[in-house]
Each structure stands twice: as structure tokens, then as C-alpha cells.
Amino acid sequence: MISRLILHLQYTRILRNSSLAVLCVSLSLCLAVAHANDSTSMIEGPTKDGYVPLSQGDHFTNWKHNGNWKINSGVISRQGKGGALVYVGEKIPDNFDLRFDWKVGTGSNSGIYYRPTQYEYQILDNTVHADGKNPRTSAASLYFCIQPSKDITKPTGEWNTGRIVCKGTIIQHWLNGEKVIHFDYKNPKWAFNVDMLRQRGGNLEARGAYLSLQDHGDPVWYRNIRLKKLKEADMIDMNDVTPAVIPASVLEAEKKKLAGIINRRENKIQSQK
């Protein structure tokens, strides 16, 4: 009887130790998985409204750079020289809605490239940077193509909300909740603007670029970058927007700047022959 009791107690101890070991292993695995998810900061799938978040956590996922950009709690910042920050997870769809927050330091210049060639949503401190003098190169412009309807940027150091909507031949830029650019580049009334971008080297028919955040050598921050692929049935705001008036003196300076761009491009082509 005593022998049986001893055996029973020994067996009970073994079961307890085994259960404790299994529990410890399970906890270790859970912690390892949690750490792995934190380390890789995997991009989640689309949210309920269809947007895919591209900037999350403290680690870049599917972004390529040369060590000069950082992300902390979802906030992306430029840290030094090295070039653009490029999202290489997938190319931008032909029809899309891209949303993001941005802010700049005093005099800062950056931009978001979303289609091949010169499709750029300008990011700028309008109050100090020289490009802020010309609405066509100011914040939220389609750089050197079409200017926003007005300047509603927030003071330097404060967050702005940006949005780019492209569907078919329609291009829209939004700033702080308002649509400031809306144009159909096939409409003849925008022929001058289309030609402006063409002379700079842009092609509004181009598609299939990787999203790129420009490094222009200045402090800039981005967060809440999210992308939605638009379907044929998706409706977009079709209300017209009137671009801001550009003063004659600014237009004259713009001509000289464009001539300089063309001249530098031609010299570069000649030097490569």
C-alpha cells in the first residue's frame, strides 16, 4: 500500500513538471512570435474602408532607402543625405486614392512621386522656400504643371493632411480636407499645363511607379500613409476647382526657370553621347 502511494506521488510530480515545462515552452513561443511581429512590423491587410497602411510601427517594411530615413511609432523622418525613401511592396495602381500626413521644417522642400516621370505632389514650406512664391511650385501643386486653388497649409512644424486621387485621366490633389486641384489632362483647356510638364520631362500618360518620398536635403516628416486601389465602380468627387492666379512677374520668372531646366537637360544628353 505504501509502495503504491509513493509511486502515485512520484507520477503526480512528473505530470506537474511536464505540464509546467509545456506551459513554459508555450509562453516562450508566444513571446517569440510577438517579438518577431514587432521586429518585422508586417504591413496589415486593407482596413474596413479599403485602405492599406504603408507606414506602421518602428520598422520599415517594403521600403527601400540608404539609411537616411527613420520610422518611429509610424512617423517617418529624414535623418540625412542618401536619397529618396521608396515603397517597393508594389507599384502604385493606375487608379488609386493615396492619403498621408506631412509636415516640414523652416524652409523645407520635399515631394511625393506617385507616377513615372514628373508626377509630384509638392511638399513645401511656402512661407520661406523660394518655390512658395509661385503657386505652380507651392505645396500641394502638381509640381510645375498645375497650381492649387489656394494656400491652406498649416504653420511650419504642424501636421498637414494630403491626398492624391487618380482615376482615368482625372488627377486630384487635396490639402487639409479640401480639394485644391482637379483636372482632366485630356481636356483641351489644360493643354498649356500638360505642355509645361512635358517640357520639364513629364508624361501624364505614364503609369506604374513605386511611391517615392523625395530627399531634398531638408527636414520633413510623414505619417499615416495609406493606399486604396480604386475600382471602376468607385465614385470620386467631380466638382471643378479653379487654380490660383499667378502674377505676371512670377510667370516671367517661371519662363526663365523652365528655360534653365530644358538647357540643363539638353546639355546632359549631349554629354552622354
Side-chain angles (χ1 to χ4, degrees):
M1 181 72 180
I2 294 174
S3 299
R4 278 191 216 165
L5 181 59
I6 293 172
L7 286 172
H8 177 72
L9 290 172
Q10 288 177 339
Y11 182 67
T12 302
R13 284 198 200 98
I14 292 171
L15 284 177
R16 284 177 181 171
N17 291 338
S18 298
S19 298
L20 182 60
V22 170
L23 179 60
C24 290
V25 170
S26 299
L27 286 172
S28 299
L29 287 172
C30 289
L31 289 171
V33 170
H35 178 70
N37 286 339
D38 179 64
S39 298
T40 56
S41 185
M42 294 298 291
I43 296 298
E44 297 176 1
T47 56
K48 290 182 179 179
D49 55 4
Y51 290 88
V52 176
L54 305 184
S55 55
Q56 297 176 300
D58 298 325
H59 304 274
F60 284 118
T61 300
N62 297 327
W63 291 89
K64 182 179 179 181
H65 64 110
N66 294 316
N68 57 316
W69 295 82
K70 289 186 178 180
I71 183 169
N72 185 13
S73 297
V75 177
I76 294 171
S77 60
R78 177 195 173 274
Q79 298 295 312
K81 295 180 180 179
L85 174 65
V86 182
Y87 182 74
V88 296
E90 63 175 332
K91 291 185 177 180
I92 297 292
D94 291 352
N95 303 311
F96 66 91
D97 186 339
L98 178 71
R99 304 193 183 203
F100 50 92
D101 301 338
W102 63 273
K103 67 178 180 178
V104 290
T106 301
S108 289
N109 180 9
S110 184
I112 296 179
Y113 285 87
Y114 54 94
R115 277 179 173 169
T117 67
Q118 298 297 331
Y119 267 98
E120 178 189 359
Y121 182 111
Q122 173 75 313
I123 302 295
L124 196 76
D125 173 14
N126 283 343
T127 60
V128 175
H129 196 281
D131 276 351
K133 297 177 181 178
N134 184 349
R136 209 189 320 267
T137 57
S138 67
S141 66
L142 176 49
Y143 189 79
F144 232 100
C145 177
I146 189 167
Q147 66 272 27
S149 58
K150 53 187 173 180
D151 179 7
I152 51 173
T153 53
K154 295 185 178 181
T156 303
E158 293 188 16
W159 286 105
N160 297 272
T161 62
R163 184 184 179 193
I164 303 166
V165 178
C166 291
K167 188 175 183 186
T169 56
I170 301 292
I171 300 171
Q172 299 178 356
H173 285 189
W174 296 65
L175 177 62
N176 292 323
E178 293 191 39
K179 183 168 63 170
V180 292
I181 288 177
H182 177 104
F183 85 113
D184 182 344
Y185 63 78
K186 286 292 188 180
N187 189 321
K189 77 174 183 177
W190 302 114
F192 173 82
N193 302 83
V194 172
D195 190 59
M196 280 282 293
L197 195 67
R198 181 194 62 78
Q199 291 184 74
R200 187 173 172 257
N203 174 15
L204 290 172
E205 298 284 356
R207 301 289 188 274
Y210 291 111
L211 181 68
S212 178
L213 308 183
Q214 184 185 47
D215 174 9
H216 224 302
D218 302 321
V220 63
W221 295 263
Y222 296 95
R223 69 180 183 186
N224 295 330
I225 303 173
R226 53 211 186 275
L227 176 66
K228 179 181 180 180
K229 182 177 181 179
L230 294 178
K231 300 176 183 177
E232 188 65 32
D234 289 333
M235 304 295 291
I236 62 173
D237 185 323
M238 291 298 292
N239 292 317
D240 286 333
V241 174
T242 302
V245 175
I246 302 177
S249 59
V250 175
L251 289 173
E252 192 61 34
E254 181 182 73
K255 289 180 182 178
K256 294 179 180 179
K257 183 174 182 177
L258 181 59
I261 291 172
I262 295 172
N263 185 56
R264 287 191 295 274
R265 184 170 66 241
E266 290 177 348
N267 288 340
K268 184 177 181 180
I269 292 172
Q270 288 297 324
S271 66
Q272 293 174 344
K273 289 184 179 180

